[in-house]
Amino acid sequence: MNEPRDIRVTINGEAYSISAAPNETLLDLLRYRLGLVGTKKGCDIGDCGSCTVLVDGKAVNSCLVLAVETNGASITTIEGMRSAGQLHPLQQAFIDHGAVQCGFCTPGMIMAAKFLLEEEPNPTEEDIRFAMAGNLCRCTGYVSIMKAIAVAGKALREGK
Amino acid sequence: MLGTLPPFEYYQPSTLEEALVLLERLDGNVSLFAGGTDLLVAMKDHRLKPRALVDIKHIPQLGTIRTEDGGLSLGAAVTTRAIARALLVRERFPLLSQAVRTLGSMQIGNRATLGGNLSNASPAADCAPALLTLRAWVKLAGPQGDRSLPLEDFFLGPGKTVINREVLTEVHVPAPSALGRGIFYKLGPRGAPEDICIASVAVFAVPDAAGRSWEDVSIALGAVAPMPIRARNAEEALRGQPIGAQTTKDAAQMAAEKDAQPISDIRGSASYRRAMIQVLVGRALEHVARDVKKEAMV
C-alpha cells in the first residue's frame, strides 16, 4: 500500500532521481520536496490554475497529477522560464503591463500563457480569454494580464 | 475540503489484458485512473478511497482517434482537448468538437478524458449530450469479453453506469448525415468552460432535401434528469414538421415540460432549470435552422 516508487524526471532541464509515494501529487513534489515554490497551491482541486506547469509541453494543473506518473517526463515550471539570465517575453510583458499585483496567480498565468502561445502563436482576444479561463486572479481584473499576453505573443512572433 | 490523497496502490498496466487481470485480482474498490480530474478531487475530499488506482494511460489502444466505417472511433483515454482539436473531429463532427471543448479549462482538457467523463456519469457530463444526439456507442472490455451498447443504455443514474469490472475502451460515433447540423449549449454560473452546467442542450438535426422541414431531430439534455437524456417528446414533435418559429417554440416547451425532469440542488432550482431548458432548446433549434438555411442558399 502506497509503496514509494523510483522515478526519473527532468525539471527545467535538470534530471532528478526521486522516490515518490503514489499519493504524492506533482505539486507537492515540486514545492515540498524540491523547494520549487514558484508553483502555487491555491485550490488544490484543479479550479484556480495557480499550480499550472508544463508536463511534456502540455499545461496541466499539477495538483491533479501524481508524481509517480511523471516518470520519464519533462517538466517546466516558472523557475525554468528565464533562460541565459534573461526573462522570457511573457515574464517581461507581465511586469511591463502591470499584470502582477500580489503575484500569486502569476506563475500559473505565465505557464498557461506559454502553452497557449505555443499552440496559437497569434491568438485573438477571444482566444486568450477562453484559453486563460482556467487561471483565476483576485487582484488585477484580468485586463492587464490579457494585454501582457497579447504583447508577449507579438514579441515572440517577431522573434524577440 | 482540501486534503492530501489517501494512500493507495498504483498500477500502470501496458496492455488491456493486464488491466483486466488487475481488476479481477483486486476484486472491487479499484478505480481506473485516466485524467484524474474527477477521481483525484473525490479522493482529496475523502469521498472515494479506492484501495488501488489502475492507470490506463499507457495502454496504446485506448489512446487513438481513428475513423471506422466512416464514423469516428475515440479511445477512452484520449484527452478531451485532443479530441476537440483533432482535424478529423473538427471537420466531420463539429458538434462533438464544440461540445467537448466546453468540458473545462485548457489545463483540465489536457488531462480529462472522454472515457472518464462518461464513466463518472454526472448527469451534467459535458460530453454526453452531443454524443447522445450523434447516436454514439460505447465499447467495454471485460473478463467475459467485449460488449458494445448505445450510450443511452450506458448510464444508470447519477454516478452509475453499467460498467462491471470492465474497462470502457472506445466511444464510436457513426457517420452523421451530411445534411445534419448541430450545436451544444451549456449554461453555467460564469459562462466559462470550467462551469459545471446548470443545464445543457445538444441538438443535432437533419433537414429534408428541400431544407423546409425536419427529417430527423435529436435533442439531448444535461443536468435535468438522473442522467443525460434524449428529449424524445420534443424530437417527436419536430419530426417531419416545417422548420420555423412556431415548431421550434412548441418543441422547446415540450422539452421543458415533458422531457426534462430536473431537481433543485446547489446549482439551481428545478423550475429555473426547466425554464432554461426551454430557452436553450429554442435557441439551439434556431441556431441549427439558421445553419440549415445558410446551406440551402449556397
Side-chain angles (χ1 to χ4, degrees):
Chain A
M1 174 65 79
N2 216 25
E3 288 300 306
R5 285 183 175 230
D6 290 329
I7 58 166
R8 296 197 123 100
V9 58
T10 303
I11 303 176
N12 300 327
E14 247 186 82
Y16 290 79
S17 227
I18 301 165
S19 184
N23 69 341
E24 187 171 1
T25 63
L26 173 60
L27 178 60
D28 285 348
L29 177 73
L30 292 170
R31 288 182 59 80
Y32 301 127
R33 292 235 269 144
L34 301 180
L36 293 167
V37 294
T39 308
K40 307 303 182 198
K41 179 178 283 197
C43 71
D44 208 23
I45 55 167
D47 275 339
C48 74
S50 62
C51 68
T52 306
V53 299
L54 303 185
V55 176
D56 289 335
K58 292 204 188 329
V60 292
N61 295 123
S62 59
C63 66
L64 295 182
V65 175
L66 301 179
V68 294
E69 285 188 77
T70 63
N71 186 33
S74 179
I75 295 173
T76 310
T77 71
I78 189 68
E79 289 89 349
M81 287 297 285
R82 159 201 284 264
S83 77
Q86 292 251 318
L87 292 180
H88 187 277
L90 271 166
Q91 290 172 302
Q92 194 59 57
F94 267 61
I95 292 167
D96 293 343
H97 294 276
V100 183
Q101 290 190 23
C102 81
F104 193 85
C105 75
T106 307
M109 288 282 183
I110 288 178
M111 301 319 293
K114 178 175 202 285
F115 176 70
L116 164 64
L117 293 175
E118 274 162 10
E119 298 242 315
E120 218 73 60
N122 195 2
T124 62
E125 187 185 313
E126 180 65 36
D127 291 335
I128 297 175
R129 259 179 202 283
F130 189 88
M132 299 303 295
N135 291 79
L136 303 181
C137 172
R138 296 292 282 130
C139 300
T140 64
Y142 301 103
V143 176
S144 54
I145 291 175
M146 306 237 309
K147 177 89 207 263
I149 294 170
V151 166
K154 186 159 187 288
L156 287 165
R157 285 195 303 279
E158 290 166 4
K160 297 208 175 85
Chain B
M1 149 87 231
L2 291 184
T4 45
L5 291 165
F8 53 87
E9 294 160 28
Y10 173 76
Y11 299 95
Q12 207 179 64
S14 43
T15 67
L16 190 53
E17 290 65 41
E18 266 182 66
L20 291 172
V21 164
L22 277 166
L23 286 178
E24 276 302 292
R25 189 159 64 77
L26 292 164
D27 197 27
N29 201 18
V30 180
S31 288
L32 294 177
F33 172 45
T37 53
D38 278 318
L39 176 65
L40 296 183
V41 176
M43 286 171 68
K44 287 187 186 198
D45 202 21
H46 291 249
R47 277 181 282 130
L48 272 178
K49 286 192 203 171
R51 170 188 158 196
L53 257 55
V54 174
D55 185 340
I56 55 165
K57 296 191 287 292
H58 296 260
I59 300 173
Q61 73 199 86
L62 302 188
T64 62
I65 301 177
R66 56 192 174 85
T67 47
E68 194 179 278
D69 303 324
L72 190 61
S73 199
L74 301 162
V78 181
T79 67
T80 57
R81 192 157 195 277
I83 294 171
R85 288 172 69 83
L87 194 62
L88 174 59
V89 182
R90 282 182 3 235
E91 286 188 343
R92 299 196 28 232
F93 301 83
L95 166 61
L96 186 58
S97 174
Q98 186 243 326
V100 169
R101 197 169 174 251
T102 72
L103 182 137
S105 65
M106 253 185 352
Q107 293 93 320
I108 294 290
N110 276 331
R111 292 278 290 175
T113 64
L114 185 57
N117 188 234
L118 297 178
S119 305
N120 190 51
S122 163
D126 285 320
C127 298
L131 286 170
L132 285 173
T133 61
L134 293 170
R135 318 278 170 94
W137 282 65
V138 293
K139 192 161 157 197
L140 309 176
Q144 257 77 60
D146 294 353
R147 56 177 175 142
S148 290
L149 60 154
L151 181 62
E152 260 197 286
D153 298 338
F154 174 72
F155 301 111
L156 295 176
K160 286 191 164 59
T161 69
V162 301
I163 288 179
N164 182 10
R165 305 246 181 118
E166 290 163 294
V167 177
L168 194 169
T169 55
E170 256 173 52
V171 177
H172 185 78
V173 186
S177 156
L179 293 174
R181 295 288 176 273
I183 191 81
F184 174 66
Y185 285 140
K186 165 168 142 169
L187 175 69
R190 278 173 70 205
E194 293 62 48
D195 291 342
I196 297 180
C197 71
I198 299 168
S200 66
V201 167
V203 166
F204 187 75
V206 186
D208 68 358
R212 295 231 186 78
S213 57
W214 297 117
E215 188 175 279
D216 194 13
V217 183
S218 296
I219 303 174
L221 313 178
V224 291
M227 59 208 110
I229 55 166
R230 292 267 298 274
R232 298 245 182 229
N233 292 295
E235 290 176 2
E236 201 43 51
L238 284 171
R239 213 160 274 131
Q241 296 301 314
I243 299 172
Q246 190 57 52
T247 56
T248 292
K249 186 163 178 279
D250 293 342
Q253 189 169 355
M254 184 77 81
E257 287 173 5
K258 296 262 161 48
D259 291 309
Q261 314 150 35
I263 59 168
S264 297
D265 70 9
I266 194 173
R267 278 185 279 280
S269 68
S271 58
Y272 178 65
R273 285 186 151 112
R274 233 182 250 288
M276 291 305 100
I277 286 292
Q278 187 159 348
V279 171
L280 293 174
V281 170
R283 282 190 195 168
L285 287 168
E286 280 166 18
H287 183 108
V288 174
R290 270 197 307 271
D291 276 356
V292 163
K293 200 163 171 202
K294 263 188 250 159
E295 282 295 313
M297 282 161 73
V298 164

